[in-house]
């Protein structure tokens, strides 16, 4: 047992083999989450520097709708990961700032997790009724949907979508393109 493992685990606890990384003393990610980890790492690599994202010396009022269209098309693809990060922060803020929504998500998520980790074919007996995993999932959905409705999950979704579209639209339309120095693009016609 390494020093890092001893800091977090009592000495009489038996460690499963392969659970801890010998180099860093951290818990390894389960193999099922490897694709999610790779996706997050690939998106993290495409994250543009925040100094560049917030460089308002490059911001200017667009001359016409054609300039807006070109800027939005370019900037949304260029700053896609930054915009997704901002959207994620807005979702986290909404969940944390609404205790009832947080509770509803935790209860629904825990119930779905417990149902999904049951062994295949395992049923639940309550009051003489037998519930298969499919029945349990239906009951979970029937309880979770009203719970999320009363916790204003729909309002949060539309609030986040509206605010994200506004932030992305304003930022993308105001930031100049790399080859734009405050003037229009020069169009070269070839015959």
């Amino acid at each position: 047992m390494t020093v890092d493992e001893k800091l977090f685990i009592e000495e009489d606890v038996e460690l499963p083999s392969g659970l801890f990384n010998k180099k860093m003393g951290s818990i390894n990610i389960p193999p099922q989450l490897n694709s999610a980890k790779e996706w997050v790492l690939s998106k993290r690599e495409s994250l543009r520097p925040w100094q560049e994202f917030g460089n308002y010396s490059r911001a200017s009022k667009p001359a016409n709708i054609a300039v807006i269209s070109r800027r939005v098309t370019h900037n949304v693809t260029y700053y896609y990961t930054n915009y997704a990060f901002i959207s994620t922060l807005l979702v986290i803020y909404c969940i944390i700032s609404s205790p009832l929504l947080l509770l509803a998500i935790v209860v629904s998520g825990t119930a779905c997790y417990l149902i999904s980790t049951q062994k295949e074919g395992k049923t639940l007996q309550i009051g003489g009724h037998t519930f298969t995993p499919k029945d349990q999932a239906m009951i979970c959905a029937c309880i979770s949907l009203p719970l999320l409705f009363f916790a204003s999950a729909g309002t949060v979704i539309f609030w986040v979508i509206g605010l994200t579209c506004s932030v992305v639209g304003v930022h993308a339309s105001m930031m100049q393109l790399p080859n734009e120095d405050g003037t229009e693009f020069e169009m070269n016609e070839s015959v």
Side-chain angles (χ1 to χ4, degrees):
M1 187 180 299
T2 65
V3 174
D4 291 336
E5 292 169 359
K6 286 181 185 178
L7 290 175
F8 298 105
I9 298 176
E10 298 175 12
E11 293 208 19
D12 58 346
V13 175
E14 190 76 25
L15 291 176
S17 63
L19 180 63
F20 284 92
N21 184 341
K22 301 299 182 205
K23 269 189 194 172
M24 300 177 66
S26 61
I27 296 177
N28 288 333
I29 293 177
Q32 297 86 355
L33 297 177
N34 279 339
S35 62
K37 178 184 174 185
E38 291 171 7
W39 182 81
V40 168
L41 290 176
S42 71
K43 294 301 175 190
R44 187 176 178 196
E45 291 172 0
S46 66
L47 186 69
R48 303 295 179 195
W50 291 103
Q51 294 85 5
E52 177 185 341
F53 181 79
N55 184 3
Y56 290 107
S57 64
R58 286 187 40 228
S60 69
K61 180 181 171 187
N64 56 34
I65 202 82
V67 174
I68 292 173
S69 176
R70 283 192 294 265
R71 285 182 180 183
V72 168
T73 302
H74 175 268
N75 288 333
V76 165
T77 56
Y78 187 73
Y79 292 116
Y80 172 79
T81 308
N82 296 69
Y83 295 141
F85 184 78
I86 291 171
S87 298
T88 303
L89 288 179
L90 289 172
V91 169
I92 291 169
Y93 168 75
C94 287
I95 291 172
I96 289 174
S97 66
S98 174
L100 185 58
L101 181 60
L102 181 60
L103 179 68
I105 290 172
V106 167
V107 167
S108 299
T110 302
C112 291
Y113 174 75
L114 292 174
I115 291 169
S116 70
T117 57
Q118 287 182 354
K119 292 181 182 175
E120 187 67 33
K122 185 177 179 184
T123 60
L124 180 65
Q125 293 274 352
I126 298 178
H129 296 283
T130 303
F131 297 101
T132 64
K134 185 177 180 181
D135 296 334
Q136 295 171 32
M138 290 298 293
I139 292 169
C140 179
C142 290
I143 293 171
S144 295
L145 290 177
L147 187 62
L148 291 169
F149 176 77
F150 288 121
S152 300
T155 303
V156 167
I157 290 170
F158 286 111
W159 184 83
V160 168
I161 290 171
L163 190 57
T164 300
C165 289
S166 298
V167 168
V168 169
V170 169
H171 183 271
S173 64
M174 298 297 283
M175 296 302 283
Q176 293 179 353
L177 299 176
N179 58 355
E180 185 179 3
D181 57 354
T183 61
E184 293 280 336
F185 279 110
E186 294 182 21
M187 301 295 280
N188 293 332
E189 291 185 23
S190 58
V191 178

